[in-house]
Amino acid sequence: MPPSPLELPPETMRLMISAAMDRIIPHLESLPTQPMRGTRGSRRLARSLREPMPEQGTDFEKLLSLLFHRVIPASLNTASPGYLAYIPGGGIFHAAVADLIADATNRYVGVWMAAPGLVALEANVIAWFCAMLGLPEGSGGVLTSGGSLANLIAVVTARRERLPPAFLEGVIYTSSEAHHSVAKAALIAGFPEERVRAIRADARFRLPPEILAAAIEEDRARGLEPFLVVASAGTTGTGAVDDLEAIAEVARVARVWFHVDAAYGGFFALTDRGRAALKGIEHADSVTLDPHKSLFLPYGTGCLVVRDQGALRRTHAVSASYMPTMQTDDDLVDFCDLSPELSRDVRGLRVWLPLKMHGAGVFREALDEKLDLARTLADALRAIPHIEIVAEPELSLLAFRARPPGLEGEALDVFNRKLVKAIGGKQRVLLTGVKVRRATDAAPMFLLRACVLSFRTHRDRIDVCVEDVRTSLEELLREYAR
Ligand SMILES: *Cc1c(COP(=O)(O)O)cnc(C)c1O
């Protein structure tokens, strides 16, 4: 029998990696000059790529050409230093190498006994995150595919811990600025839509603690069962950090689970300024983190940490006769007992490797740079005539709009929508918009937002951003004056 073509000889493996690297390195090197959006003709491209499952193989080089010439360029350039849209991801290369090692060795980390060493490395990563947030002994968690899954696990865990099996009277509290994955988690967890109270955010886009406390009391008086408050440590819209200290106190008095969605802002806890902004997070029952945002990792790495690891086990542990014996020592975890997943990738390695290679200091410095850049950007934008900063950067995200004389309401929103489009049209930075309405606003308003979070974004690109905002605004004002 000849060897299976699926079993590659060593030389072929080396050649494959080397051929892939010959495409990856020029791609990464040209990132700063690639356009921000390569989505023109994307429908046609997407349809042209449809095909039945191939019976015959295709040459690897040909496939690489397809990927790097046609498929990958047709996208938002999310890895560009100019990507200030939504919440930027990272994509540090170390993580790709860690994934290569993890995928090639293909060990199983769902249960402890199958790979105790790899499970220990991943457990370390989680313990580091818990310590970073100031969670006590006994805390723990799981790495997830992202923040949405972490929020879902948090909602289900809080439901299991704080509500009876018939849980439909349970009520979840959050702010109108919370990420929509909270409402989605509630929906998937089986709560009717009216059981999620999105309390109107205050003038700084934060969840008002007194109104929260009153809402909980009112619902209890009506016979409902308040059980969970979700605070935001960096909202996606304007970057607002809720007053975690005050909300923790409301949650404590009301005896409800306190979850903090820190998917965007969480890793700023590595910095002094971030720690000050996130004060109170140490009281959380659970916290969502997204290493693929503020730890610069590639997409596919989220995390939920909880104050009491036992809560995750009580929510997820189910036994089966074909499974090995699960660990009962608290320091030896079976990840399948703490999350909905059984088989999964070795996520821990892509977090562990870069942290071990560089130490936390390199990440702290990079995050401090983002905090500085956001303030620099805010000051420079403020100096442009007719620009008003509506949300100052609490971390590295700010929101602003143009306020040319004579425009109000819907006409003003239309102007700002045109502005965000014009800035992106220059293909050097990408900003996105958001519609917000605070308790103090008579009507919703459209804002532009800039989030500085890529490890590739530095001062030069912030200057480019300011220049493109200024010139785009001038061009638009000229067009309106005609
Ligand atoms: C991005 C984000 C999420 C969702 O996380 P994913 O990793 O995209 O699933 C949730 N909450 C906040 C505040 C976010 O910024």
Side-chain angles (χ1 to χ4, degrees), residues 87 146-149 151 179 181 234-236 261 263-264 290 292-293:
I87 307 286
S148 299
L149 258 292
N151 279 341
H179 192 269
S181 59
T235 61
T236 313
D261 180 357
Y264 152 55
D290 250 347
H292 65 210
K293 289 176 180 163

Side-chain angles (χ1 to χ4, degrees), residues 207-238:
L207 172 59
E210 316 75 39
I211 297 176
L212 168 69
I216 292 175
E217 214 165 285
E218 209 171 286
D219 283 336
R220 258 203 191 120
R222 287 170 57 203
L224 295 174
E225 297 178 71
F227 78 102
L228 166 64
V229 53
V230 179
S232 306
T235 61
T236 313
T238 66

Side-chain angles (χ1 to χ4, degrees), residues 252-267:
R252 190 188 64 77
V253 170
R255 300 178 315 281
V256 300
W257 186 278
F258 176 37
H259 176 64
V260 179
D261 180 357
Y264 152 55
F267 288 101

Side-chain angles (χ1 to χ4, degrees), residues 181-193:
S181 59
V182 175
K184 188 174 182 178
L187 174 77
I188 300 171
F191 290 96
E193 211 175 312

Side-chain angles (χ1 to χ4, degrees), residues 146-167:
S148 299
L149 258 292
N151 279 341
L152 174 61
I153 297 174
V155 167
V156 172
T157 303
R159 183 189 78 188
R160 176 83 183 183
E161 290 288 285
R162 299 299 171 93
L163 288 177
F167 57 75

